[in-house]
Amino acid sequence: MLVLTRRANQSIMIGADIVVTVLEVRGDQVRIGIDAPRSVSVHREEVFRELEASNRAAASPSFGALEGLTALRPPKHDSGGGPLP
Amino acid sequence: MTGASASELPELHFASGLPGFPDARRFVLVRLGDELSPFSVLRSLDGEADLEFVVTHPGLFFPDYAPEIDDDTAERLELRSADDALLLVIVTVTNPVDASTANLLGPIVVNRHTRAAAQAVLGASGYNTREALVPSP
């Protein structure tokens, strides 16, 4: 891992169009600003990892599991929508 | 699992794939079960063999669910109003099915008109990836 020391209001460039700026350092928290093209998605790592794990757990359920699922119906709600298009 | 032919269905396009499956970009949505079924299958047309996810309309199971889609996702999908968006959530199917959960933290957002799609990430929303479909008794 590349390690750089920066102060508040100093930045790091990643490639030509991603700029990561240290905005504020207070105690054990650091506020960071990120300028990146729209095609680059930026996430808090722990949230992204949680989604990865959830997607992997949900991926390609077995045929047997799906059979039971089709019998499952949502509870009755006044505002419930219709079935999927 | 269904009689529908995937090739006849409109294709959804995930420009950045899904977390954990970055190369899975083209999907079709196929109904799971009869016409009253609240579930559909999101089936990948790309690379990884037989990748599919069960999805549902979150309003059916979680009528109070009101995720705030971030501006970046809305812009990327060119959503101009809330009506442009079709919202789905991925279901983790368990055995028995009563313990199945829905991922409310990362809803799938589809532009109804262009079929551009993405899995949004709701930071600091209080939603989680394992919300029970059927409340425990």
Side-chain angles (χ1 to χ4, degrees):
Chain A
M1 183 191 290
L2 170 68
V3 179
L4 301 168
T5 301
R6 304 270 66 194
R7 297 178 188 281
N9 299 315
Q10 293 185 326
S11 300
I12 292 167
M13 291 194 68
I14 302 173
D17 50 11
I18 299 175
V19 181
V20 179
T21 306
V22 178
L23 298 174
E24 185 185 11
V25 181
R26 185 185 290 173
D28 61 356
Q29 287 201 318
V30 181
R31 291 182 71 224
I32 293 171
I34 298 145
D35 271 314
R38 198 179 295 161
S39 59
V40 176
S41 41
V42 177
H43 304 289
R44 289 173 174 83
E45 183 183 10
E46 65 275 16
V47 176
F48 187 82
R49 298 288 177 217
E50 198 182 338
L51 277 193
E52 273 187 340
S54 176
N55 284 348
R56 291 204 179 104
S60 307
S62 73
F63 181 74
L66 292 183
E67 286 220 311
L69 190 69
T70 55
L72 198 67
R73 292 288 185 266
K76 292 271 178 266
H77 296 298
D78 295 339
S79 56
L84 285 172
Chain B
M1 108 194 26
T2 74
S5 158
S7 60
E8 293 165 12
L9 296 164
E11 197 174 298
L12 305 187
H13 190 250
F14 290 72
S16 355
L18 283 83
F21 301 93
D23 299 326
R25 300 186 175 191
R26 297 176 309 133
F27 285 85
V28 287
L29 200 55
V30 184
R31 185 184 305 285
L32 179 65
D34 62 32
E35 68 274 12
L36 290 176
S37 167
F39 301 102
S40 291
V41 170
L42 193 59
R43 183 178 297 157
S44 170
L45 300 174
D46 285 322
E48 195 148 343
D50 300 327
L51 174 64
E52 38 183 53
F53 298 96
V54 173
V55 296
T56 190
H57 192 305
L60 295 173
F61 289 92
F62 310 101
D64 299 330
Y65 182 57
E68 213 169 285
I69 305 306
D70 60 289
D71 292 347
D72 274 0
T73 301
E75 279 179 34
R76 221 173 284 167
L77 298 180
E78 297 179 313
L79 300 173
R80 289 182 187 84
S81 78
D83 292 341
D84 291 343
L86 169 70
L87 207 60
L88 302 168
V89 289
I90 295 179
V91 176
T92 302
V93 183
T94 57
N95 188 8
V97 291
D98 309 57
S100 296
T101 57
N103 179 354
L104 301 188
L105 180 70
I108 287 173
V109 188
V110 181
N111 183 321
R112 293 176 189 277
H113 311 297
T114 66
R115 305 270 166 186
Q119 187 169 19
V121 182
L122 309 178
S125 59
Y127 292 120
N128 69 72
T129 57
R130 294 181 162 273
E131 193 70 34
L133 277 185
V134 181
S136 36

